[in-house]
Amino acid sequence: MPSLEYRLSLKNVTKTYPGIVALDDITFNVKAGEVHGLLGENGAGKSTMLNILSGVRPGDQGQIEIDGKPVEIHNPIAAREAGIAMIHQELQHVPELTVAQNMFLGRPLTSAARLFVRTRAQEKRARDVLADLDPTIDPAAPIKTLKVAQQQIVEIGRALLEQASIIAMDEPTSSLTPSEFERLAELIKTLSEKGVSIIYVSHKMDEVFQVCQRATILRDGKHVAVVDIADETESSIVSKMVGREVLHAAHTSYATTEEILAVDGLGRGKAVIDANFTLHRGEVLGISGLVGSGRTELLRLIAGLDQPSTGQIRVMEKPVRAHDPRAAIRAGIGLVPEERKREGIVHARSVASNMALPSMGQFTRSGLLRHGLMHKKAEEVMSDLRLRPPNVRQAIGTFSGGNQQKAIIGRWLAASTEIFLFDEPTRGIDVGAKSEIYNLIEELAKSGKAIIVVSSEMPEIIRLSDRVLVMQEGRLVANLQKNDITEDRLAHYAIPRKDQAVA
């Protein structure tokens, strides 16, 4: 088909890094008004393609065409001038600035002499653009006061303000609730009907099937297929992405009756209110609830990161000193945080260094770090966890999300942790790596570790958990045993209602 049939075409694009072919002779086409999925495992080449398209990184060879005409995109300004906008997984805002200031960031409306910013004119233009997206957003409000979903709408508004004809969305729902995704899906449909081309990157197959018409699948930097979504199933797409059939094994319970953790009356203001529960050796305890219900705050209290206002934590019947991460680590508690890149890793340091962070004492002698011993231990642990590539000396920031998550899990294995706290364990992780993380969690349970999993994905909670606690507005409102763990039951207890009593 000739290029004129496409709004955007990438032809024979190649990008290499030392020792890695990130993109290998890729061809990619998107029609005007189409919502086109870009799918693949972490490391498949999706981010590299988006970086080239948005001008962050140049390709080594190949050509980009828009409406049939070749364009040169050497930097983000050139991409913007070509009508290309990026909405990143990590929102690109300056929190202290207003909505309008963020929308005009880098290209403010100024007076004729360019001495003053025309604040009111910016706010009027921003209000006009946002009127069709979310008229409740105040352009004069600090953007940090908005919900995450509204901040994402502001990103879309900025793209429309720039008159973008191509918008690439990279994992746009990683921090959204299901209802917020439905609103985003409506916006995407509206943009598509107006002729805007959308490139949609997501690991959530249900979203892809809801919003996309076609999808391009990459694997190991190579083009695998272009598919019509209506002709595919989730299994068929996943098998193309990973090059094999991904088996979703049934849950196996390894829970025992031995109590290892007890939480008694734990609270922190309105975030967590009078939490009481126990955790047993070999058990996987799920914690479900809406975003903002207090799930993360509860894990942070258990891990000693925040100061509780009430209550106590006991491990093997011994109290753990509150608000003391070192005391929690000594008691055998390890947290795998939701914000992996911000709170879980030191990007520029090696996998081995990141793995050793909570247990550095075992790798030092007379105050000196024994690098050989640290690397040997890291190689042993990460071999068991199947780190790819198997190089513990490589900077952890260069690894995919799934492999970064393995390194964090390895950190707590090296520290002889007994209680693992997983906060959104597969956020931003592809389906293949997700299956591996599930298997790792069950292997930990089988070995006698006790595990708490917080997840916004109901199928994930159902797949992993022996038992589920449901949180609502800071309170634990339900304790569901395995046969009662269904999406309907989880939603029933998670959503506040006037007639609802605390379980």
Side-chain angles (χ1 to χ4, degrees):
M1 300 174 78
S3 298
L4 287 174
E5 296 198 19
Y6 298 111
R7 167 66 51 75
L8 170 71
S9 291
L10 277 69
K11 296 183 175 181
N12 308 114
V13 173
T14 296
K15 178 65 178 178
T16 61
Y17 296 99
I20 300 173
V21 180
L23 289 177
D24 187 1
D25 196 33
I26 295 293
T27 295
F28 176 74
N29 300 301
V30 182
K31 300 174 183 177
E34 178 184 20
V35 184
H36 193 106
L38 180 58
L39 309 178
E41 293 187 274
N42 287 118
K46 306 186 302 297
S47 295
T48 301
M49 183 185 291
L50 293 184
N51 284 339
I52 291 172
L53 188 60
S54 60
V56 175
R57 296 278 187 274
D60 297 335
Q61 64 182 50
Q63 182 172 288
I64 299 174
E65 294 181 359
I66 295 179
D67 294 326
K69 299 178 181 179
V71 295
E72 297 288 337
I73 300 178
H74 298 302
N75 54 53
I77 294 175
R80 192 165 66 206
E81 290 174 348
I84 300 169
M86 272 287 300
I87 297 177
H88 300 269
Q89 179 178 355
E90 306 295 336
L91 296 176
Q92 308 294 298
H93 291 141
V94 180
E96 303 302 324
L97 297 183
T98 67
V99 168
Q101 286 170 331
N102 272 281
M103 290 178 67
F104 282 90
L105 199 62
R107 46 184 182 78
L109 296 180
T110 59
S111 60
R114 297 187 178 182
L115 296 177
F116 303 101
V117 174
R118 298 166 58 200
T119 301
R120 290 189 179 181
Q122 287 188 167
E123 290 176 0
K124 183 181 183 303
R125 288 277 302 278
R127 185 175 286 107
D128 291 342
V129 170
L130 292 171
D132 292 334
L133 303 178
D134 186 343
T136 68
I137 297 176
D138 180 2
I143 200 164
K144 66 181 180 182
T145 64
L146 272 57
K147 296 178 181 178
V148 173
Q150 290 180 309
Q151 293 179 16
Q152 207 141 42
I153 289 171
V154 172
E155 287 275 342
I156 295 173
R158 176 159 54 188
L160 296 180
L161 195 63
E162 297 172 352
Q163 298 184 320
S165 59
I166 301 162
I167 301 178
M169 298 183 176
D170 187 7
E171 296 286 350
T173 66
S174 59
S175 297
L176 302 188
T177 64
S179 61
E180 289 170 337
F181 163 68
E182 293 298 330
R183 173 62 177 143
L184 178 63
E186 292 175 10
L187 289 176
I188 289 173
K189 182 179 179 182
T190 299
L191 293 172
S192 173
E193 289 171 348
K194 292 181 177 179
V196 178
S197 300
I198 309 287
I199 301 170
Y200 194 86
V201 178
S202 179
H203 295 308
K204 299 178 181 179
M205 289 296 105
D206 56 334
E207 293 180 6
V208 171
F209 275 84
Q210 183 168 338
V211 303
C212 297
Q213 289 90 49
R214 295 191 305 149
T216 294
I217 299 171
L218 304 181
R219 185 170 70 241
D220 298 329
K222 293 182 172 60
H223 182 283
V224 173
V226 178
V227 298
D228 290 314
I229 295 297
D231 297 334
E232 299 290 326
T233 65
E234 181 174 331
S235 296
S236 68
I237 286 182
V238 170
S239 65
K240 290 181 177 73
M241 287 169 55
V242 303
R244 65 185 187 281
E245 184 179 359
V246 176
L247 299 176
H248 297 284
H251 173 76
T252 301
S253 176
Y254 300 100
T256 70
T257 58
E258 181 185 352
E259 181 182 298
I260 188 170
L261 173 72
V263 173
D264 299 321
L266 196 62
R268 178 177 171 83
K270 294 182 179 180
V272 178
I273 304 169
D274 193 30
N276 294 276
F277 66 90
T278 58
L279 177 68
H280 303 86
R281 190 172 294 280
E283 182 180 25
V284 180
L285 175 65
I287 299 182
S288 186
L290 302 179
V291 173
S293 61
R295 302 167 307 169
T296 293
E297 290 81 357
L298 178 57
L299 291 196
R300 288 179 61 87
L301 289 174
I302 297 171
L305 297 177
D306 293 331
Q307 175 72 55
S309 52
T310 62
Q312 186 183 62
I313 301 161
R314 290 179 287 113
V315 173
M316 300 300 291
E317 301 186 352
K318 296 180 180 179
V320 180
R321 189 165 61 192
H323 196 203
D324 188 341
R326 293 181 184 275
I329 292 171
R330 287 195 298 270
I333 299 172
L335 173 65
V336 181
E338 175 184 10
E339 297 290 344
R340 179 175 57 247
K341 292 182 178 180
R342 191 177 68 187
E343 300 177 349
I345 61 173
V346 182
H347 289 247
R349 301 299 296 272
S350 69
V351 169
S353 296
N354 274 272
M355 184 214 70
L357 285 175
S359 54
M360 199 67 75
Q362 67 174 292
F363 305 115
T364 59
R365 177 179 293 173
S366 302
L368 298 176
L369 180 63
R370 302 170 66 190
H371 289 275
L373 182 63
M374 181 180 72
H375 287 133
K376 180 179 179 182
K377 180 67 173 181
E379 286 168 354
E380 291 173 359
V381 171
M382 299 318 300
S383 175
D384 291 340
L385 296 179
R386 297 177 289 279
L387 179 75
R388 295 193 299 268
N391 182 4
V392 299
R393 290 173 170 79
Q394 185 172 322
I396 196 170
T398 64
F399 283 77
S400 68
N403 283 290
Q404 289 176 2
Q405 196 77 320
K406 289 179 186 179
I408 297 172
I409 296 171
R411 165 187 304 164
W412 298 117
L413 288 175
S416 301
T417 298
E418 293 297 321
I419 301 168
F420 285 74
L421 311 178
F422 286 91
D423 195 356
E424 301 287 1
T426 63
R427 180 187 177 195
I429 291 176
D430 64 73
V431 289
K434 183 178 289 192
S435 179
E436 289 190 66
I437 296 298
Y438 290 172
N439 291 336
L440 283 174
I441 289 173
E442 292 202 337
E443 287 174 14
L444 290 171
K446 185 177 181 180
S447 69
K449 309 296 185 182
I451 298 155
I452 298 177
V453 174
V454 163
S455 178
S456 299
E457 297 185 31
M458 290 187 190
E460 182 164 276
I461 282 285
I462 295 168
R463 163 70 179 82
L464 289 172
S465 305
D466 300 309
R467 183 166 56 99
V468 175
L469 304 177
V470 184
M471 291 195 77
Q472 179 193 120
E473 297 179 339
R475 295 183 183 274
L476 295 173
V477 297
N479 182 354
L480 303 179
Q481 305 302 315
K482 188 60 187 178
N483 292 337
D484 293 327
I485 305 172
T486 65
E487 292 197 23
D488 287 343
R489 296 278 284 172
L490 293 175
H492 171 80
Y493 285 108
I495 300 171
R497 297 187 309 280
K498 291 181 180 179
D499 61 342
Q500 191 172 59
V502 176

